[in-house]
Amino acid sequence: MAQLDIIFAALADPTRRQILEMLLEDDMAVTDVAEPFEMSLAAISKHLTILTRARLISQEKRGRVKWCKLEPDALRDASVWMQSFGQFEAVNLDAFEKFLAAELGEMPEAEA
């Protein structure tokens, strides 16, 4: 249950949700993640740390650059928990990605 608390706490912040949406596109360097936000790189790093702790993203160093990658399977536990209430359907991550791509006016990689 503690991991669910961490996931939902991470998702509660609009900046972190926006970062996750950005990472739907592709892996991104930390500096590229920070670019659209009007906050310091240190503040973005704190958001990324929270997302990493929730296992919603992973970070790795490639040369001198730190990269972020979306880890969509982390949402599976939250989806299963919500399903236990019987009023929510399972999160279909492929369908969710297609929906977001359509909203953003882009085609998913598999269909491009």
Side-chain angles (χ1 to χ4, degrees):
M1 217 36 173
Q3 185 59 30
L4 275 180
D5 292 343
I6 294 168
I7 290 170
F8 285 120
L11 293 173
D13 184 87
T15 299
R16 291 191 286 270
R17 290 193 307 270
Q18 189 174 352
I19 290 170
L20 292 175
E21 288 176 25
M22 291 166 52
L23 292 173
L24 274 172
E25 300 281 319
D26 200 2
D27 299 357
M28 294 179 74
V30 169
T31 53
D32 293 333
V33 170
E35 188 175 312
F37 298 101
E38 292 184 15
M39 61 181 73
S40 68
L41 191 56
I44 288 295
S45 291
K46 287 181 182 180
H47 284 294
L48 295 174
T49 298
I50 291 167
L51 290 170
T52 301
R53 190 174 302 132
R55 300 183 193 141
L56 294 168
I57 68 168
S58 58
Q59 296 184 64
E60 71 173 329
K61 205 153 189 174
R62 299 179 195 165
R64 293 183 178 192
V65 179
K66 195 172 214 179
W67 286 80
C68 301
K69 177 183 177 184
L70 182 67
E71 298 293 345
D73 287 341
L75 290 173
R76 194 169 318 279
D77 288 341
S79 175
V80 169
W81 182 82
M82 288 188 298
Q83 286 178 52
S84 68
F85 290 93
Q87 57 188 350
F88 297 99
E89 292 185 19
V91 175
N92 180 328
L93 296 175
D94 291 332
F96 183 62
E97 181 178 14
K98 287 178 185 178
F99 167 78
L100 285 177
E103 289 293 309
L104 296 171
E106 302 170 7
M107 291 184 69
E109 285 184 35
E111 294 181 15

